[in-house]
């Protein structure tokens, strides 16, 4: 089974063909349907394992963009003791869902 370890926005992910995962929201061109990850740190195939220093040259991972999603809601509480002050704010992080199509190289 071929897999690759990629870096995106400071996060390392182990991906295989057909995997679905979320990446941080970013600006995309109008009508863009695929995204290419060029920072491949390691690639494993039937021929063996290639380890980059820090990236493997000539290897990329192509993924299909499935759409924009929102993560779980988290709540942030601010509180000042003995003053009666408290504030609760909710936040949902935005992500882009992608599915790996090919590992090139």
């Amino acid at each position: 089974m071929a897999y690759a370890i990629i870096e995106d926005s400071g996060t390392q992910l182990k991906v295989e063909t057909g995997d679905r995962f979320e990446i941080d929201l970013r600006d995309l061109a109008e009508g863009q349907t695929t995204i290419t990850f060029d920072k491949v740190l390691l690639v494993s195939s039937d021929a063996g394992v290639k380890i980059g220093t820090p990236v493997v040259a000539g290897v990329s991972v192509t993924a299909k963009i499935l759409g924009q999603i929102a993560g779980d809601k988290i709540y942030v509480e601010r509180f000042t003791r003995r003053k009666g002050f408290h504030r609760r704010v909710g936040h949902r992080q935005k992500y882009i869902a992608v599915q790996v199509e090919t590992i090139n190289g």
Side-chain angles (χ1 to χ4, degrees):
M1 186 63 95
Y3 68 90
I5 297 178
I6 63 171
E7 180 185 354
D8 182 60
S9 301
T11 304
Q12 295 180 6
L13 301 163
K14 179 182 176 185
V15 297
E16 297 178 6
T17 303
D19 282 355
R20 292 182 179 180
F21 59 95
E22 293 86 32
I23 58 174
D24 290 333
L25 184 66
R26 63 190 70 186
D27 293 330
L28 300 172
E30 186 68 30
Q32 183 176 353
T33 59
T34 61
I35 189 165
T36 303
F37 300 101
D38 295 329
K39 292 184 178 180
V40 179
L41 306 176
L42 180 141
V43 64
S44 173
S45 63
D46 297 334
V49 177
K50 294 179 189 175
I51 300 173
T53 54
V55 295
V56 181
V59 178
S60 64
V61 174
T62 304
K64 179 173 66 171
I65 297 173
L66 302 176
Q68 181 178 334
I69 60 172
D72 295 334
K73 188 158 195 170
I74 62 168
Y75 293 99
V76 179
E77 303 260 352
R78 292 180 62 194
F79 177 77
T80 303
R81 64 181 185 160
R82 294 191 298 267
K83 304 297 181 192
F85 172 79
H86 59 279
R87 178 173 295 154
R88 184 178 188 193
V89 178
H91 174 74
R92 291 186 74 177
Q93 186 70 33
K94 303 289 192 277
Y95 297 105
I96 297 173
V98 297
Q99 181 175 8
V100 176
E101 290 182 335
T102 59
I103 299 172
N104 306 317

